[in-house]
Amino acid sequence: MRKYFVLAAFAMCAVAASAQRANSSASLKQEQDVDMKVHFGVRVGLNVPNMTEKGGGESENMGSTIGWHIGAIADIPLVKNYFYITPGLYFTQKGYKYSEYGDKDKANPMYLEIPILFSGRYTFGIAQLQVNFGPYFAVGVAGKEKETYDGDTDKDDFFGKDSGIKRFDAGLSVGAGVTLAQHYYVGIQYEAGLANLYDGGGDDKLRNKNFMVTVGYNF
């Protein structure tokens, strides 16, 4: 009889241990599933854009101005806590400001932009450091160019039919940021345009450049 009690007790302990392991595995899996979910965030910030013009073998910075950006991102985990893909959708203002000998030229083109960034992460305490790199693609949607020469001022649509400027832009983006307490984001980013904005042939080239300071909230 004692043998049967011992066997029964052993069986009950084995069942309890198995249930505990199953419960722990389920909890761990649930936690991993939460960590591997796609999260979304909103972003807003300051731009310091300019454009570089190249012609006749010489390259010139048109001059920096001030712009802004606003948008949303998706944070897609590939390797939990280490590697993510972060696509976004932004409305962003770029351009330049040029002044010489009293003549002035200022442009503020606005773009709808899609960055697709590969993001490496490192977590310490409540902070998560991230380094971002990847391409961006954009289409111009609005903007003006204001020119003042010899005291005369002229305003035109930056992407007007006779402007000679293409709406499509693309380039590379690189930067870094910190997320605090899983929600609050602060970061910087630099965009180097690779597409020639000048329409038509020829050797002249015009490209966007942009430095960004961004804050945001992750849901």
Side-chain angles (χ1 to χ4, degrees), residues 31 35-36 77-84 119-123 128-129 182:
E31 180 182 348
D35 290 340
M36 292 298 288
L78 298 180
V79 179
K80 185 183 68 173
N81 293 332
Y82 290 103
F83 192 65
Y84 292 68
S119 182
R121 308 286 173 89
Y122 179 76
T123 301
Q128 185 182 69
L129 175 67
Q182 299 182 348

Side-chain angles (χ1 to χ4, degrees), residues 16-31:
S18 177
Q20 180 66 30
R21 284 197 302 270
N23 185 57
S24 298
S25 298
S27 298
L28 179 61
K29 184 178 185 304
Q30 185 178 16
E31 180 182 348

Side-chain angles (χ1 to χ4, degrees), residues 47-163:
N47 291 346
V48 185
N50 67 34
M51 292 185 179
T52 57
E53 185 177 39
K54 184 176 181 180
E58 297 183 357
S59 182
E60 179 183 10
N61 283 321
M62 302 294 286
S64 297
T65 185
I66 299 297
W68 50 270
H69 61 272
I70 185 171
I73 61 98
D75 216 18
I76 305 172
L78 298 180
V79 179
K80 185 183 68 173
N81 293 332
Y82 290 103
F83 192 65
Y84 292 68
I85 291 180
T86 307
L89 179 63
Y90 287 85
F91 191 58
T92 181
Q93 183 187 54
K94 299 184 180 181
Y96 63 85
K97 183 169 64 175
Y98 176 82
S99 179
E100 186 177 29
Y101 306 119
D103 295 332
K104 298 178 181 179
D105 188 0
K106 182 178 181 180
N108 62 349
M110 299 181 186
Y111 289 87
L112 193 62
E113 181 172 296
I114 299 176
I116 304 174
L117 303 181
F118 299 90
S119 182
R121 308 286 173 89
Y122 179 76
T123 301
F124 52 98
I126 64 168
Q128 185 182 69
L129 175 67
Q130 61 187 73
V131 178
N132 307 313
F133 175 81
Y136 75 84
F137 306 92
V139 58
V141 294
K144 297 289 185 179
E145 182 180 16
K146 180 180 178 180
E147 298 177 299
T148 301
Y149 291 107
D150 295 329
D152 296 327
T153 299
D154 187 26
K155 291 183 180 181
D156 294 298
D157 290 335
F158 188 80
F159 298 108
K161 186 172 69 173
D162 299 324
S163 67

Side-chain angles (χ1 to χ4, degrees), residues 1-12:
M1 182 70 65
R2 182 182 301 174
K3 178 175 66 174
Y4 294 114
F5 279 117
V6 171
L7 289 175
F10 180 79
M12 290 175 64

